[in-house]
Amino acid sequence: MYVDSHCHLNFPELAAELPAILDRMATNQVTHALVVSVNLPDWRGLMDLVAPHRNLWASVGVHPDYEDTQEPTAEELAELSQDAKVVAIGETGLDYYRLSEPLDWQRNRFCTHIRAARATNLPLIIHTRSSAEDTLKLMREENAAEAGGVMHCFTETWEVAQAAIDQNFYISLSGIVTFKNATQLHEVAANVPLDRLLIETDSPYLAPVPYRGKLNDPSKVIHVAEKIADLKGIPVADVAKASTDNFFKLFNKIVK
């Protein structure tokens, strides 16, 4: 039994073939998927997509890459999170890879999400790219540990992973861990404790080997688990059980 802790099934290339994706998930024993919000204008459509499916759940938030979009307030995020299908705040965080300073708007948005998570007692889904130092700094300053959450699609060092774990966060690994040249991430996978591990696809992106370069979907999360098991030298069943148990523990609004 597997779960996909982070995907974007509402993106057009996946939404168009949702019935087939759900069938492939069932075939591969992927029982649940968390469909993650990236902006507010598309959020209602995301909710309409997950509503009919007992194994699909949602978050509410605005991705740091979305500069020219509706800016959320903590109060607005808290209100939208009252929907029974919403189990997390995010994805949020910092991304200095594509955008350049001044990025105070991005840091302010991240703080808004942390405050909403603390107010609602919902976990955070954090995205960080080329910004680990500032991400961890703002997490500490805003007491993100009170809400807890997950560092999604983690690509940083083991030292950054340890610092996030110390702040009550899980580490989620994606298909990148299957890439041959991802040696830094292989170290993380080998060292992250099983009780702090999640797995994801971040689909439609980052398809794991042997599907690299192709369209990704939640049914392929099993390949992430298999690679982590190989790096840890343990049975894949252990990774499947731990990551699934952690998923339901963290996102505790989800009904199995």
Side-chain angles (χ1 to χ4, degrees):
M1 175 172 161
Y2 303 87
V3 295
D4 185 353
S5 68
H6 192 114
C7 63
H8 300 286
L9 287 176
N10 60 314
F11 285 15
E13 54 267 62
L14 295 184
E17 57 170 87
L18 184 60
I21 290 171
L22 293 171
D23 285 345
R24 290 197 294 272
M25 287 171 60
T27 297
N28 286 351
Q29 296 181 290
V30 181
T31 62
H32 294 73
L34 178 51
V35 185
V36 176
S37 170
V38 295
N39 62 29
L40 294 186
D42 294 332
W43 184 78
R44 184 52 60 187
L46 185 162
M47 297 306 295
D48 290 343
L49 181 141
V50 303
H53 304 285
R54 64 174 302 276
N55 64 334
L56 300 183
W57 298 80
S59 70
V60 59
V62 182
H63 192 290
D65 271 349
Y66 285 64
E67 184 174 5
D68 298 316
T69 191
Q70 179 183 342
E71 196 67 43
T73 65
E75 293 75 18
E76 184 175 19
L77 292 170
E79 181 180 354
L80 294 175
S81 75
Q82 297 308 301
D83 189 293
K85 277 280 191 174
V86 173
V87 301
I89 302 294
E91 66 185 279
T92 182
L94 302 176
D95 192 323
Y96 298 168
Y97 182 76
R98 293 187 182 90
L99 302 172
S100 56
E101 295 287 357
L103 291 173
D104 286 342
W105 63 267
Q106 201 180 84
R107 291 182 282 271
N108 291 337
R109 181 186 293 172
F110 185 25
C111 292
T112 293
H113 283 73
I114 296 173
R115 292 164 191 169
R118 291 177 58 201
T120 58
N121 198 32
L122 288 176
L124 285 154
I125 300 171
I126 293 183
H127 167 112
T128 181
R129 190 175 187 191
S130 302
S131 57
E133 183 178 352
D134 279 0
T135 299
L136 292 169
K137 177 176 179 285
L138 289 180
M139 287 167 64
R140 287 190 296 270
E141 290 178 353
E142 294 290 332
N143 194 19
E146 182 180 316
V150 55
M151 309 299 286
H152 112 88
C153 194
F154 191 82
T155 55
E156 303 295 332
T157 65
W158 170 233
E159 288 71 27
V160 173
Q162 286 179 302
I165 291 169
D166 288 344
Q167 292 198 57
N168 193 29
F169 276 74
Y170 290 79
I171 304 300
S172 182
L173 300 178
S174 70
I176 297 174
V177 78
T178 70
F179 299 173
K180 185 177 180 180
N181 62 348
T183 53
Q184 177 175 280
L185 200 54
H186 295 165
E187 180 187 7
V188 173
N191 285 285
V192 64
L194 279 178
D195 65 359
R196 282 284 147 178
L197 173 69
L198 292 174
I199 57 175
E200 65 171 271
T201 60
D202 202 14
S203 51
Y205 312 117
L206 304 175
V209 174
Y211 300 98
R212 188 172 183 180
K214 298 181 180 179
L215 190 67
N216 199 9
D217 71 66
S219 70
K220 298 178 175 64
V221 78
I222 63 172
H223 299 284
V224 178
E226 288 170 349
K227 181 61 177 182
I228 295 169
D230 178 62
L231 290 165
K232 285 185 170 297
I234 61 176
V236 68
D238 291 355
V239 174
K241 183 179 189 309
S243 57
T244 298
D245 289 348
N246 294 338
F247 177 82
F248 289 112
K249 181 179 179 181
L250 178 61
F251 304 111
N252 55 28
K253 281 179 64 175
I254 294 180
V255 179
K256 293 185 181 182

